[in-house]
Amino acid sequence: MHVLLSTYGGRGHVEQYVLDLQEVDETQVAVVGGKGAHLGGLSRIEGIRVPGGFCVTTDAFRRIMAEAPSIDDRLDELSRLNPDDREAIGTLSAQIRRTIEGIAIPGDLAAAITRALAQLSEQAAYAVRSSATAEDLPTASFAGQQDTYLNVVGPTAILQHVRRCWASLFTERAVTYRQRNGIDHRTVHMAVVVQQMVFPHAAGILFTADPVTGNRKVATVDAGFGLGEALVSGLVNPDVYKVRHGEVVAKAIAAKQRAVHALPAGGTQEVAIDSQRQEQPALTDAQVVRLVRLGRRIEAHFGHPQDIEWCLVDDGFQIVQSRPITTLFPIPIPETDDQENHVYVSVGHGQMMTDPMKPLGLSVWRLTAMVPMCEAGGRLFVDVTRRLASPASRAGLLDAMGRGDPLIRDALETVLDRDDFVPSLPDAGPGGPPASGASTPIETDPAIVTELIERSQASVAALERDIRTKTGPALFDFLLEAFEEHKRVLSDPLNLQAIMAGMEATWWLNDKLQEWLGEKNAADTLTLSAPDNVTSEMGLALLDVADVIRPQPEVVAFLQGVEDEGFLDELAKLAGGTEARDAIEAYLDRYGMRCVGEIDITRPRWRERPTTLVPVILDNVRNFEPGAAERRFEQGRQRAQKKEQDVLSRLRALPDGDRKADEAKRMIDQVRTFIGYREYPKYGIISRYFVYKQALLEEAERLVQANVLAEKEDIFYLTFQELHDVVRSKRVDDQLIQQRKDAFRSYHALTPPRVLTSDGEAVTGAYRRDDVPTGALIGLPVSAGTIEGRARVILDMAQADLEAGDILVTTFTDPSWSPLFVGIAGLVTEVGGLMTHGAVIAREYGLPAVVGVQQATRLIRDGQRIRVHGTDGYVEILP
């Protein structure tokens, strides 16, 4: 059917304004948009019926846009607007829509469309549907962004609605979506699908994977009477069927009071359904199973779970749309494709970093990690199937997970409760830490911690010295050896014993003091101002930096306007600026390798982006008196000492009190000696990471100079091995880097689950507790005490603006957040466990804290008053 017009377009490009659906497939998104390409692909699948129709191509759209040069200036204006400036976006986008709708369709283009109509049937009814080039893609759905018009009759009406579809590329919601996702308006073009209407008995949506849990083996069918518009618009509640392995396993039949029907002269109307029919199922079970079978065929063709719009006409299904489900979290790829069931636990929840990581970050973490990992959606997971399968290791795994994050434990138990998902094995086999988490006893001697810190420092110093001479392929050989040394330092038995000694003593004290004295979380106060905690020292040291800056009004005023990363050089020109610069430089020398999300080597470090620290320094200048760091530490130490005396004297008053007090004293000494060191191995890892990163960026600079790479940061989108190959061959796949950038951008929209199965099911876990007031948000108690205050919901440390007494509410806090902890009164996070960094530092500073509060940053609004129950593990939102 296609109509060719070679008189327009230039440079040998032949314009194609109209293409029959049968002539296109999913490779032609640029020509017919996402919807048109998918419909073309669908029409080629054997046994799938798609209503006939054609596409008005993006060539036609570009020609229309060229007819109105004023649109170009408005697009420039749009691109400069803030995505949150709804009023300005609304005004500008309305102007663009009016301009497009007012353009007369050139005669040759109108003739091409009417000729295509005549070949089908001029007076038939059609659906006229927008089909944008950035729509229905595996990484972004854009669902509902543009317009669809049903039951359009006659060539004049169809041409008018084609114009409306072009204009709908600039609806306010479509423009805002592109602005927020960093998509240039000029790169998105609009095709239009004109498709014969079907008048169904029933219609609805089929998801070939469960859209709520992500389970790829469960299909969900939503069904209602009449046109599918009633469901899509939310006019009626649909019947919902769930199908697994070819049978309906669950269904809920709704009272469907209304339907949308087509009118004879064009358009649609809502109609009431008579009462006897309302609760009848829209489909029989046999029809549902047949529909899912068609859906599986479509899913196999596109290679991705699909969201499919269907119509039932005379007991036959017609498919009117299929798009990828973009909200599903990808399934990790196991080391071996054994076709067995697998259970994966999120690494990010344990490391307090659930953001996506770039490919270089993922591969370096995997190369330096102590256990094998797999990745999905830009996140890392550990396969725990074998340890769950063996009764011997299962109990230890569940105990360790439960102490860290009860939601992970509950999710794992939920999977275990299912019949035969995890097979039982005689033993767990090699791999992974010891099942019980128990470690060899260690002598309580501060000299052990001193020795371990000195060993780590010597190892980092040797790395810094030896890497200087390495470039090219030799650098990568050296780094592979350095990664082995990295793992050797971490797996040093003494290092593991010291870490476990602090944690086990904490657990012992909490368990025993609750049993003997009825006191919850007593260890929290006993760990205040523990020595050798490099993370809590980092927060206090920034108070000392504020002490140097506070007396210098010129420096304070200058820092309030800082935006450029070179500000340290400018400081020296101000009165008192040299001392301020030296204080910040000294801080960066010790802590500059740290940053938010620091387990991803690609993240910008404080040394690379020192402006990150400026808001925190200014908060400290404003909220604290001189000498605050030393006072805070000393007050904490004295509170811990007083608590120790109180606990021991109360124990001695009990039956068998001297024995209990002696045991408790031994454990208190063990906690005081080792719990601070718990933070040091991570500091050592990140110190090494910064050395690796600087060497790799120098290598990247050489690749830029040699015109191999466009920019240094492109290496972040390659794995370590791929980068090694690029350095050797001096050739790079630019297309791969662009694909990785697009994928990384799409991963931000995905929420990583704590536990994920090989069926793709995200298992969330729940707190099984009934000791919490109605309406309170439940979490894990990690630092005792109760505090009321103003909630500050902060997602980016650089945006912090805290007053004394504020309670920090955020998604996660890795060590880089600890400088904020000195200025807050309490902490609430969505992710965390008893021994994650945020919890350890909250206890060190005596901050009541509740972690693992699901959706805390959405349920608590910035500025609300809240009460944090750090002993009992819940948060109340106050009136």
Side-chain angles (χ1 to χ4, degrees), residues 399-400 433-443 491-507 667 670 674:
D399 184 53
S436 66
S439 60
T440 317
I442 187 172
E443 187 189 351
S491 59
D492 175 346
L494 192 61
N495 176 54
L496 297 175
Q497 283 174 285
I499 294 169
M500 288 309 298
M503 298 201 312
E504 285 172 349
T506 304
W507 297 333
M667 286 301 180
Q670 191 169 313
F674 293 113

Side-chain angles (χ1 to χ4, degrees), residues 612-626:
T612 309
L613 293 172
V614 171
V616 193
I617 293 170
L618 290 171
D619 282 349
N620 288 350
V621 165
R622 188 174 67 242
N623 295 333
F624 291 93
E625 297 295 318

